[in-house]
Amino acid sequence: MLISNSLKKIYMKVSIKTSFQIICFAVGVIFFSSCNDFLDRQEDEKLTFDKIWETRNDTRSYWLNSMSFLPDDAGDFTNLPWLGASDEGTVTYARELRWINFGSWNASNVPNYQMDRFYKGIRECNIFMQNVDRCSDPIVTKEELAQYKVQSRFARSYYYFLMMRIYGPVFLLGDELLDFTASTEALYRPRNTWEECVDYVVSEMEACINDPAMAESYSDAEKGLATKGTCQAVIARLKLYSARDLFNGNKLYSSVKNPVTDLFPELSGVNLFPQNYDANKWLEAAKAAKVLIDNPLYKLYRAGDGSDPYANYYGITQEYWNSELIWSTGYKGRYQLGVHTVPTGIYGTAYGGVGPTQHQVDAYAMSNGRYPITGYNGKEPIVDRSSGYSVDEFEKTTWKYPAWGGAGEYDLTAPNMYKDREPRFYVSVFFGDNWWHHGSGMTKISFAKGANSNKSHDYPKSGYLVNRFYDHTLNSASGQWGNIVFPTFRLAEMYLNFIEAVLECKRHNVAMPGGYEAQAMEVWADLRDRAGLAPITEVYPNASTEKLIELCRNERRIELAFENHRYFDTRTWMIAKDVDGGPMYGMNAQFPGSGDVTPDGFWERTVFETRVFEDNHYLYPFIQSELDRNKLLTQNYGW
């Protein structure tokens, strides 16, 4: 019989109105130990284990357990470093991501350590897939069991993908269940190469796509399950990462090799990272993204007749399960996202301290589609005069703040820096001395020290707040937060993946199928049109391929802002040492103020944090305890 049951939440949607809840079986310690390492021995509870497969409910619960290691993109965004340890954002709280920003991490002090979690998940998936067909309950159907099985297979592969994006190549177990009665030496495993890891994940995702139990789409009651499109989206993102500099001929990591060993001769002494640049990887990335672009199931989200660019962009996270979403880690309450991005002047117990950096603010285009800031001379921006950006950026003038998110336009007296920017800017960035709208109410906000939204440690260090994820149609002051389907994968990303890959093919003289370049420019124009901007080829008619790649990277930064992309983009492009280290600027949130008044001294480009980024920071280190246990595990570069 079962020893105990415990409720555990899984961040995966199967009902529009309720979250997936799972029962994690604590069947002895064979399945759920409190150990820090997936190689730790566990007790054998064979009789208890056999009983799991006698009922549909127990079998289904074990399936849900195998899926429970999926990340919570909508709930963990202040804990994980993807936003606060890149140049797009700042998280004011004393989270472990600060170790990354200040260079105080090492193999014994790893922030948000995740390796054990994902290998536990892989083990649970393997156990489930190897036993699910034993279910003897007459009420369960073969179709149900097949669906459970293919979803676990997807999850297992996705866990590998999640590790690869932070560690690079890892060790692959396939269907193997490590023998927990074996000696420590018998459990040694070297890392597989990057190419082997990519091939494995891609082949597993393709197997899921070809499995009849993996659906193209699901009814409302099952939304949140992986689909064929989900699997293809993982392939597309992984192949894009694999084509970029970090994983394609990266000589910096030339010394990262497996130890010489007779136990694994095929992996003995091999380079773990590809040492020869392969431009054809860009073509593979382009093809992978194109599959989803050509899939009629997915369309860019547009509100109503599509003529309102503000509603179009804001609706991506407002309209549940809209046509642009390929997959989400879950439909859930918006409280975590909202309470960390609402000013404390609105809601007394809010934690409003997640904000864009000044570099992110500067990245947005003007309404004419041109990017105003082309570089910096110290802290001073270098301005493209043809963009229309005022060189007197802090001069205050009165202009119309646009209508969006349930509020009408209004006259605003504010610095020229924020005037006449593209629609995505106003949806994504909230600046001080402006009105925060919440339901039918509007409250003026100041981020000056001592003012209504900077009275404690809960304030945005940059003097800006992320605006995208708060539901402005509801009144959080009365506890209304709403729900969200977080865009883990969406079609706009596939557009940008395809555009980047096609341009890189062109730069590297890789022959492409006919129509690829034209289609890349068409989808780019479609993406910008959705945001109320002219095509990039009209705004920059004489741009070289190199310039278009730069513009594509900026488009990606804006379109996918705060969706957990920028951290990985700066690292896989290998530009993080230039952009994620050094002084981070915002407004002067330490200048004293009071009430809702923003004093003139606030309006100054000010360093709020100086970050550290070294060559070894592109990838996470393997934790020292894992290295001590597994003598064949090679540490990442520089750790």
Side-chain angles (χ1 to χ4, degrees):
M1 59 185 295
L2 264 75
I3 294 177
S4 66
N5 291 334
S6 62
L7 288 175
K8 191 174 182 181
K9 187 175 286 186
I10 181 173
Y11 301 102
M12 173 180 169
K13 170 70 169 76
V14 291
S15 170
I16 288 286
K17 295 183 178 179
T18 58
S19 300
F20 228 179
Q21 297 285 329
I22 68 167
I23 297 175
C24 289
F25 291 90
V27 185
V29 292
I30 182 172
F31 305 124
F32 310 107
S33 70
S34 60
C35 61
N36 292 322
D37 188 310
F38 85 107
L39 295 179
D40 281 357
R41 295 185 180 185
Q42 301 168 331
E43 296 176 14
D44 188 354
E45 294 283 351
K46 186 176 188 305
L47 293 177
T48 303
F49 176 78
D50 286 342
K51 286 188 174 293
I52 291 173
W53 316 105
E54 294 179 359
T55 70
R56 176 187 181 275
N57 284 343
D58 289 352
T59 300
R60 184 174 184 274
S61 293
Y62 201 104
W63 163 56
L64 295 177
N65 170 66
S66 76
M67 307 290 288
S68 69
F69 301 87
L70 292 170
D72 173 19
D73 289 331
D76 287 341
F77 81 117
T78 66
N79 292 303
L80 296 176
W82 319 144
L83 189 155
S86 75
D87 66 340
E88 76 174 352
T90 171
V91 175
T92 195
Y93 324 113
R95 302 287 197 251
E96 291 181 11
L97 64 88
R98 295 171 67 82
W99 304 350
I100 296 176
N101 286 342
F102 300 137
S104 58
W105 53 323
N106 54 54
S108 298
N109 193 39
V110 181
N112 310 110
Y113 177 65
Q114 298 183 58
M115 183 179 174
D116 62 340
R117 170 188 174 186
F118 291 129
Y119 273 113
K120 286 175 184 176
I122 288 165
R123 176 176 174 81
E124 296 305 304
C125 288
N126 279 342
I127 291 172
F128 178 78
M129 288 189 290
Q130 292 174 27
N131 289 278
V132 60
D133 293 325
R134 296 170 55 192
C135 184
S136 56
D137 194 330
I139 69 171
V140 74
T141 67
K142 290 182 178 180
E143 289 75 19
E144 282 181 294
L145 296 180
Q147 183 188 72
Y148 300 164
K149 193 171 186 178
V150 75
Q151 292 293 322
S152 276
R153 189 171 189 178
F154 161 80
R156 179 180 67 174
S157 184
Y158 193 61
Y159 298 150
Y160 278 114
F161 164 75
L162 293 173
M163 285 193 290
M164 289 165 62
R165 67 180 185 168
I166 58 176
Y167 293 109
V170 293
F171 45 93
L172 300 171
L173 297 176
D175 298 325
E176 181 183 7
L177 291 177
L178 295 183
D179 180 4
F180 48 81
T181 65
S183 65
T184 300
E185 290 77 10
L187 297 177
Y188 288 172
R189 291 293 183 279
R191 296 165 70 180
N192 289 81
T193 68
W194 173 257
E195 299 290 18
E196 287 173 332
C197 291
V198 171
D199 290 346
Y200 176 78
V201 171
V202 170
S203 65
E204 285 295 295
M205 288 294 176
E206 288 175 341
C208 290
I209 291 171
N210 294 325
D211 192 318
M214 180 64 75
E216 293 276 2
S217 61
Y218 291 98
S219 66
D220 286 350
E222 295 180 304
K223 285 191 183 300
L225 294 177
T227 63
K228 293 180 186 293
T230 307
C231 300
Q232 186 61 39
V234 177
I235 292 172
R237 190 183 295 179
L238 179 55
K239 286 195 172 185
L240 183 78
Y241 287 173
S242 191
R244 290 175 175 172
D245 288 350
L246 183 62
F247 300 120
N248 195 359
N250 177 10
K251 300 300 183 184
L252 184 64
Y253 287 9
S254 62
S255 63
V256 185
K257 301 180 180 182
N258 273 336
V260 175
T261 174
D262 294 334
L263 298 175
F264 296 88
E266 71 283 1
L267 292 172
S268 177
V270 299
N271 283 98
L272 293 173
F273 294 82
Q275 290 303 291
N276 297 312
Y277 187 84
D278 183 1
N280 286 311
K281 286 186 175 183
W282 289 112
L283 181 57
E284 292 303 309
K287 289 178 177 178
K290 191 175 187 299
V291 172
L292 288 161
I293 293 171
D294 293 343
N295 188 328
L297 283 177
Y298 307 109
K299 296 179 176 61
L300 286 190
Y301 174 78
R302 294 176 187 265
D305 64 2
S307 61
D308 183 347
Y310 299 92
N312 290 344
Y313 189 63
Y314 190 47
I316 295 166
T317 56
Q318 286 290 108
E319 184 69 27
Y320 307 148
W321 304 107
N322 62 72
S323 62
E324 183 164 340
L325 291 175
I326 298 172
W327 190 54
S328 171
T329 53
Y331 168 95
K332 64 178 298 177
R334 200 186 286 255
Y335 177 79
Q336 285 296 323
L337 284 164
V339 77
H340 290 96
T341 56
V342 64
T344 54
I346 302 296
Y347 182 74
T349 57
Y351 312 117
V354 179
T357 63
Q358 187 65 48
H359 289 92
Q360 182 68 22
V361 170
D362 292 343
Y364 287 88
M366 304 299 288
S367 61
N368 63 10
R370 291 191 73 89
Y371 297 105
I373 309 301
T374 60
Y376 298 90
N377 183 8
K379 73 174 182 178
E380 298 303 317
I382 300 170
V383 177
D384 173 5
R385 297 297 183 90
S386 62
S387 71
Y389 186 87
S390 174
V391 292
D392 191 356
E393 60 183 5
F394 293 121
E395 178 191 17
K396 289 187 176 181
T397 56
T398 300
W399 43 278
K400 292 287 186 184
Y401 187 82
W404 69 275
E409 70 176 15
Y410 51 87
D411 288 337
L412 180 67
T413 301
N416 288 331
M417 176 187 291
Y418 314 122
K419 178 183 177 182
D420 201 28
R421 303 298 284 267
E422 63 155 295
R424 290 175 296 189
F425 169 78
Y426 299 105
V427 174
S428 301
V429 176
F430 181 81
F431 50 88
D433 211 20
N434 193 4
W435 297 86
W436 184 274
H437 52 99
H438 44 101
S440 60
M442 297 183 73
T443 303
K444 197 173 187 182
I445 296 299
S446 173
F447 295 122
K449 187 70 174 177
N452 63 0
S453 292
N454 186 356
K455 289 180 176 294
S456 69
H457 63 283
D458 291 325
Y459 74 97
K461 290 189 292 184
S462 63
Y464 299 101
L465 276 178
V466 171
N467 215 15
R468 284 192 67 191
F469 301 128
Y470 178 89
D471 189 342
H472 287 275
T473 68
L474 300 176
N475 185 9
S476 61
S478 61
Q480 300 176 49
W481 298 98
N483 300 307
I484 191 170
V485 182
F486 193 90
T488 303
F489 289 91
R490 63 183 175 102
L491 184 60
E493 181 202 340
M494 299 304 125
Y495 276 20
L496 291 159
N497 292 0
F498 183 69
I499 297 162
E500 178 184 347
V502 166
L503 291 172
E504 291 285 1
C505 281
K506 188 175 180 182
R507 174 161 70 169
H508 293 287
N509 297 312
V510 176
M512 293 179 284
Y516 266 44
E517 186 175 357
Q519 187 175 15
M521 295 304 104
E522 287 170 6
V523 298
W524 198 349
D526 188 25
L527 189 65
R528 286 172 65 86
D529 178 73
R530 192 257 294 270
L533 301 177
I536 201 75
T537 50
E538 291 182 14
V539 179
Y540 294 90
N542 301 313
S544 65
T545 301
E546 294 279 349
K547 180 64 175 178
L548 287 173
I549 290 172
E550 175 191 327
L551 294 169
C552 176
R553 290 185 177 188
N554 211 62
E555 192 83 57
R556 185 181 183 92
R557 176 178 197 168
I558 292 165
E559 175 65 29
L560 304 179
F562 318 121
E563 294 180 28
N564 300 333
H565 289 277
R566 182 68 179 173
Y567 176 99
F568 300 103
D569 287 342
T570 62
R571 284 153 175 77
T572 51
W573 285 327
M574 293 194 78
I575 64 170
K577 196 170 184 182
D578 296 323
V579 302
D580 289 335
M584 293 291 152
Y585 287 90
M587 292 294 99
N588 188 1
Q590 296 305 307
F591 196 89
S594 62
D596 62 6
V597 176
T598 301
D600 289 342
F602 176 85
W603 305 111
E604 178 188 7
R605 289 174 178 261
T606 303
V607 177
F608 67 83
E609 188 170 276
T610 299
R611 297 180 182 175
V612 174
F613 194 97
E614 303 294 348
D615 286 335
N616 59 318
H617 293 165
Y618 282 104
L619 291 172
Y620 260 54
F622 290 97
I623 199 165
Q624 188 61 48
S625 59
E626 200 71 52
L627 295 165
D628 293 341
R629 290 168 175 153
N630 184 358
K631 299 302 184 182
L632 294 183
L633 180 62
T634 298
Q635 180 61 285
N636 271 330
Y637 170 83
W639 296 102

